[in-house]
Amino acid sequence: MDSLGVLLVAPMNAYLEQELDRRCRLFRLWESPADRRDDYLRAHASSIRAVVPYAPQGVDAAMIDALPSLEIVSSFSVGIDRVDLDACRRRGVRVTNTPDVLTDDVADLAVGLAIAALRKIPQADRYVRAGKWKSKGDFTLTTRFSGKRVGILGLGRIGLAVAKRAEAFDCPISYHSRSEKPFPKYKFYPNVVDLAANCDVLVVACSLNPETRHIVNRKVIDALGPEGVLINIARGAHVDEPELISALLEKRLGGAGLDVFEDEPFAPEQLFELDNVVLVPHVGSDTEETCRAMADLFSGKRVGIIGLGRIGLAVAKRVEAFDCPVNYYQRTKQDHPGYTYYPSVVELAASSDVLVVACPLNEHTRHIVNREVMEALGPRGVLINIGRGPHVDEAAMVAALADGRLGGAGLDVFEDEPNVPEALLGMDNVVLVPHVGSATHETRTAMADLVLGNLEAHVAGKPLLTQVV
Amino acid sequence: MAPPATQDGSSSKPIVLLADPFIPEFEQELAPSYRLLPAADADEAAAASARALLTVDLPAVTAAQIDALPALELVVASSAGVDHINLGACRRRGIAVTNAQNAFSADAADYAVGLLVAVLRRVAAADAYVRRGAWAAAAGDYPLASKVSGKRVGIVGLGSIGGLVARRLAAFGCVIAYNSRSPKASAPYKFYPSVRELAAESDVLVLSCALTEETRRMVGREVMEALGKGGVLVNVGRGGLVDEAELVRCLREGVLGGAGLDVYENEPEVPPELWGMDNVVLSDHRAVITPESIQGVVDVVKANLDAFFSGKPLVSQVQL
């Protein structure tokens, strides 16, 4: 990337600037006086192939026109509403944003938990609040975090974000994942036990699927050993919790920082008295900023509803609060001028980002969401089913999700309940909730709220919230 | 480098007076080469001839103590800050002072980041919430916390600790700015000439500077108001950098959003008003208390003593 000329519009972030400077040929626009910037752009126009805009200012057509070599606008933000997308399209300039808004929070917490667990920060806090510093003297000695060998299970977005942070503490990074990734500075272990044996802090950051369930078992815990610390910010079921508890009680494991548990909201009470663990209530991504960002991502999405009965209307009312335009399909047009009517489900799907099934099941509506509908919804579309399992051709849906022809799904119902297609369990673009099995209006309204909560999470790319089976 | 051996054995090892009681880690490393003598127990002859004084646990080293040691040429501090030593008296007498150099920097920086994350993400309060069974009982979500990534962090004092804090938090995607006596040419962060201006442009203010007459109580009400009701103060420097009574008032009145404190004005006294606040994280001046730091500082102390008694340049002399 050395030769890539990048124009940075404003000093937004020290790390970004430092890394751009290291990896590219960086042009700092703000360093030239405001009245000389046009000259600056002209002087470097042939070298600048990328622009990193300042989100509140964006990139306008004039700047795009002034840069004939421009290939990409890479915004340091989720929102790209100030980038002139039409001008970019005309010129064939690509535009990217930073949509994974949850990654940072979870990675921040992972490193925060590692420091808190090694340095016993909550324990020290309790000690001081209890007045013990004065009466009993200094609290116990703790271990340094900087320089510790950090092992990461799963080098996806979150794993990489943890690695980046830990590197700034001079921690050597190693990882385990299904296959080796193109990061030569991180050491790959094809085997979890070997990873655990060669690190001081093991961070679980992989997705949950049948292969990774209980991936942290007794062998892994023993390999991590009495000086080792386990950090879990992924899912409780990644860890064999009874084994973890006995290892901590028997001091075969040094400590743990846990955000997730097998049976939430029940964290194992045996851990409550231990002072080598830090326990937080699944707050990995629970920051105000991220919730706002997720709302921003969801807001404005076009929602298509199949069946504008009571439940359909309850959904419509709620999504309107997110400024989502509402479309619907019904056999006949309804008297709801605020909502746009489509006479066919395929047309509805083609005009929607999110498709919600909320109609009764009958001979006409069985498999109403078939392959053709899902194709129309497309690879960025999300299917929500709070109707009945047979409304959806489940086999076609699983195939579409697996192939990426459908973006994601939030499912409350299934064709063959309580059996959920095995293939769905491993997908991180699917949210599954148990079918509560009640057809009352109140319950369905509550379910609509629940699905909306999940939907909101899903659109932001949040991993599985609640898992069936 | 060991001091020259003499014929009459241990009694002629150079005397190193101890300003505080024995600390085992130091004794083990230093006793083979030096005669370690608590200053309070030193007889007249020892006090008259002692050339070096070692301080470990921040005891006040007063002008009177210094004047009572006519042969004193060196005060070895095992801390990064040397505010507990009367530097004026040392300067007048031409006594050299050494500090812990960078032995503590990594731990202090780690702890500052740990406190910052703990306050913003409510780690300590959340841990207490889970342990008292409130999560299971409430059947609801814990209140939202504040994001770390992207926060504007102002660092007061961009020395070796502040520099490491900056590097660590930059990797969290935080926007770093700083205040120090003068801008650092090599620092890729924005410089503010005053702490108040820095606070006004920051979400979190991290104190990692030395306590001097200029920096004493530099964080008063004005700075805390500039930091604001969403702002967080993290102090891993010295308690004396902050007007503590004002800090308590600002936290109570909601003028300041939260605080992560490892140091206090009158340790081990911690204002009891803070004990009940869940927007603060408190600890007992332990940022640098790890075996790694202790070993590091023992090495620096020994290197300074060895250099001094063999007439070589000191390894971490403080400019007075």
Side-chain angles (χ1 to χ4, degrees), chain A residues 129 139-140 146 277 279 284, chain B residues 110 127 131 168 280 284 286:
Chain A
R129 283 172 201 261
F139 186 56
T140 179
S146 273
V277 298
L279 312 169
Chain B
D110 288 2
D127 178 76
R131 285 176 196 255
R168 281 152 177 66
V280 299
D284 53 326
R286 59 204 311 279

Side-chain angles (χ1 to χ4, degrees), chain A residues 258-281:
Chain A
L258 306 172
D259 183 40
V260 290
F261 304 88
E262 282 208 272
D263 184 25
E264 295 172 8
F266 300 99
E269 289 184 14
Q270 299 97 309
L271 301 182
F272 291 5
E273 294 305 313
L274 296 183
D275 84 343
N276 54 343
V277 298
V278 177
L279 312 169
V280 293

Side-chain angles (χ1 to χ4, degrees), chain B residues 58 80-81 83 108 112 115 156 161 206-211 234-242 260-264 267 285 287-288:
Chain B
L58 304 183
D83 50 282
L115 283 177
V156 182
I161 294 170
V206 178
L207 308 182
S208 56
C209 60
L211 178 63
V234 172
N235 191 359
V236 293
R238 285 285 184 271
L241 296 168
V242 178
L261 307 171
D262 188 44
V263 289
Y264 306 86
E267 296 170 7
H285 199 155
V288 301

Side-chain angles (χ1 to χ4, degrees), chain B residues 60-96:
Chain B
V61 178
T62 63
Q65 276 173 288
I66 291 167
D67 290 342
L69 302 170
L72 192 65
E73 295 170 55
L74 174 68
V75 177
V76 177
S78 60
S79 49
V82 290
D83 50 282
H84 58 300
I85 298 164
N86 188 321
L87 300 177
C90 293
R91 201 181 298 122
R92 276 195 301 279
R93 285 265 309 274
I95 294 170

Side-chain angles (χ1 to χ4, degrees), chain B:
Chain B
M1 163 82 58
T6 53
Q7 287 181 328
D8 44 358
S10 67
S11 64
S12 62
K13 289 190 287 192
I15 292 173
V16 173
L17 290 180
L18 302 173
D20 19 29
F22 275 116
I23 304 273
E25 290 86 351
F26 285 86
E27 193 186 357
Q28 196 185 331
E29 293 278 337
L30 301 178
S33 313
Y34 301 101
R35 191 175 152 216
L36 302 173
L37 199 59
D41 304 344
D43 58 24
E44 220 166 287
S49 64
R51 297 168 63 205
L53 176 71
L54 170 63
T55 84
V56 174
D57 207 14
L58 304 183
V61 178
T62 63
Q65 276 173 288
I66 291 167
D67 290 342
L69 302 170
L72 192 65
E73 295 170 55
L74 174 68
V75 177
V76 177
S78 60
S79 49
V82 290
D83 50 282
H84 58 300
I85 298 164
N86 188 321
L87 300 177
C90 293
R91 201 181 298 122
R92 276 195 301 279
R93 285 265 309 274
I95 294 170
V97 176
T98 64
N99 71 356
Q101 209 177 25
N102 298 333
F104 294 138
S105 303
D107 276 332
D110 288 2
Y111 210 78
V113 175
L115 283 177
L116 183 152
V117 177
V119 174
L120 288 173
R121 300 298 300 271
R122 299 169 167 270
V123 171
D127 178 76
Y129 175 86
V130 171
R131 285 176 196 255
R132 65 171 183 264
W135 190 23
D141 282 340
Y142 189 73
L144 288 180
S146 189
K147 197 179 183 78
V148 174
S149 173
K151 282 278 182 297
R152 299 167 305 164
V153 177
I155 297 174
V156 182
L158 204 68
S160 77
I161 294 170
L164 291 180
V165 172
R167 190 176 142 235
R168 281 152 177 66
L169 288 173
F172 281 70
C174 293
V175 181
I176 311 292
Y178 71 104
N179 163 259
S180 58
R181 267 170 301 185
S182 56
K184 315 252 175 204
S186 60
Y189 314 115
K190 184 160 185 190
F191 171 77
Y192 286 90
S194 84
V195 176
R196 210 201 67 80
E197 288 169 77
L198 178 66
E201 295 300 322
S202 299
D203 302 305
V204 182
L205 197 65
V206 178
L207 308 182
S208 56
C209 60
L211 178 63
T212 64
E213 279 323 302
E214 292 83 60
T215 62
R216 186 172 298 279
R217 299 206 168 178
M218 73 192 322
V219 177
R221 183 159 189 115
E222 212 189 17
V223 169
M224 289 185 259
E225 281 176 351
L227 196 50
K229 61 183 184 345
V232 170
L233 179 70
V234 172
N235 191 359
V236 293
R238 285 285 184 271
L241 296 168
V242 178
D243 183 336
E244 196 166 273
E246 205 55 71
L247 171 66
V248 170
R249 261 193 295 278
C250 287
L251 285 166
R252 200 177 49 218
E253 295 166 8
V255 169
L256 182 67
L261 307 171
D262 188 44
V263 289
Y264 306 86
E265 280 200 284
N266 300 303
E267 296 170 7
E269 301 281 349
V270 176
E273 294 94 324
L274 298 177
W275 299 1
M277 297 182 182
D278 75 351
N279 54 339
V280 299
V281 177
L282 310 170
S283 65
D284 53 326
H285 199 155
R286 59 204 311 279
V288 301
I289 310 301
T290 69
E292 292 90 342
S293 271
I294 291 171
Q295 185 57 52
V297 77
V298 167
D299 292 345
V300 173
V301 164
K302 185 161 189 312
N304 276 308
L305 288 172
D306 290 351
F308 173 73
F309 284 108
S310 54
K312 299 215 162 80
L314 297 167
V315 299
S316 60
Q317 185 164 3
V318 177
Q319 294 304 316
L320 296 181

Side-chain angles (χ1 to χ4, degrees), chain A residues 171-186:
Chain A
C171 298
I173 310 292
S174 53
Y175 69 100
H176 166 75
S177 57
R178 265 173 303 185
S179 58
E180 189 162 359
K181 311 269 179 181
F183 297 102
K185 59 184 170 171
Y186 306 149

